[in-house]
Amino acid sequence: METSLHRELKSLCGDADTQEVRVGEYRIDCLRGDELVEIQHAGLAALRTKTAALVKRHRLCIVKPVIASRRLIKLKRREGEIVSSRLSPKRGRLLDAFAELVHFTQVYPHPRLRLEILLVDVEELRVPGHGRRRRWRRNDFEVVDRRLVGVRERVELATAADLHRLLPDDLPETFDTQQLADAADVPRWLAQQIAYCLHRCGAAELIGKARNSRLYRLAA
């Protein structure tokens, strides 16, 4: 089922008559001039095959929202009254996009492909339930909708060098993944994914090792 967030992001990309169009065997969220636009809340890995096919003949933009903050709104039931509302303690950052890009390096970068990373605030509507989960607890819930509150920031990624725009300014000239984690204030596992993306996409060079750590340098 399409969420309110998806519909609202589509409205930012184009008018209703340019939405949900068919291009060959694929349905596209929106047309923006001669560019196809796909909005992807789920993992980018699910779009690899579709992307590889479309960019052979078309310019494609993939809009990827990253949730900066979410207000959790608990409903008594679907379309029912609000029971509670609170901000989730979890916070998202633009750097979180690398956790998805790590599964997308087979198709990015490409001359006909660009990514728009949107840092957004959302409301998440929940109702009691456990969906298809085998194990469930009394306080289980189902997410029934997400709504856009606002867009904080937008970053366009079209080339390998554009990935540098997501990195901290005080990154050392040569660095390992622990130094990257410290500079970006992210967990080591995410720093490893960032380094993998940078190297695989051509945005960083692997220049050697220090003890057991690989050393990287940003490509010119």
Side-chain angles (χ1 to χ4, degrees):
M1 185 180 71
E2 185 181 41
T3 65
S4 298
L5 176 60
H6 192 271
R7 287 194 299 272
E8 290 156 351
L9 290 177
K10 277 198 302 186
S11 69
L12 295 178
C13 295
D15 299 328
D17 58 351
T18 66
Q19 298 175 9
E20 297 298 328
V21 297
R22 184 163 290 280
V23 177
E25 62 181 294
Y26 296 106
R27 182 172 293 277
I28 306 300
D29 284 326
C30 187
L31 287 179
R32 188 159 52 190
D34 63 348
E35 184 179 57
L36 313 181
V37 180
E38 276 290 287
I39 297 165
Q40 183 70 357
H41 305 285
L44 290 176
L47 279 184
R48 282 194 304 241
T49 301
K50 184 176 184 179
T51 297
L54 289 173
V55 296
K56 290 179 180 178
R57 295 187 177 183
H58 305 279
R59 293 173 59 241
L60 174 64
C61 173
I62 297 176
V63 177
K64 174 64 181 175
V66 174
I67 297 178
S69 72
R70 71 183 79 205
R71 178 166 291 278
L72 308 179
I73 300 176
K74 184 178 179 181
L75 306 177
K76 193 171 184 178
R77 58 183 178 276
R78 290 175 183 265
E79 308 298 332
E81 63 184 83
I82 296 176
V83 176
S84 64
S85 174
R86 65 180 177 87
L87 278 175
S88 169
K90 295 182 179 179
R91 294 290 185 269
R93 302 168 54 186
L94 288 172
L95 276 170
D96 295 339
F98 279 106
E100 295 297 336
L101 284 170
V102 74
H103 305 294
F104 206 60
T105 56
Q106 294 92 329
V107 290
Y108 177 87
H110 188 279
R112 294 194 186 98
L113 174 66
R114 67 187 184 93
L115 307 177
E116 285 186 13
I117 310 299
L118 302 181
L119 193 62
V120 300
D121 300 312
V122 303
E123 292 177 338
E124 185 172 281
L125 277 61
R126 300 177 170 187
V127 296
H130 59 277
R132 298 180 180 179
R133 292 192 293 269
R134 293 184 178 180
R135 296 182 180 181
W136 59 279
R137 296 169 296 182
R138 182 180 301 174
N139 294 327
D140 277 351
F141 63 88
E142 296 179 62
V143 176
V144 295
D145 200 10
R146 290 190 178 94
R147 302 189 299 219
L148 179 66
V149 175
V151 178
R152 294 191 184 191
E153 196 171 350
R154 171 186 172 276
V155 174
E156 180 179 316
L157 306 177
T159 68
D162 288 336
L163 295 176
H164 297 170
R165 299 166 60 190
L166 299 176
L167 302 176
D169 294 332
D170 58 347
L171 189 65
E173 183 177 352
T174 62
F175 58 91
D176 59 22
T177 55
Q178 184 59 59
Q179 290 171 311
L180 176 56
D182 293 340
D185 192 24
V186 297
R188 181 75 178 270
W189 63 265
L190 180 54
Q192 291 170 337
Q193 291 183 331
I194 294 171
Y196 173 86
C197 287
L198 295 173
H199 181 229
R200 181 68 184 267
C201 293
E205 303 167 336
L206 181 61
I207 60 173
K209 295 185 69 174
R211 297 184 180 179
N212 294 324
S213 297
R214 295 181 177 181
L215 292 178
Y216 299 88
R217 179 174 56 210
L218 295 183

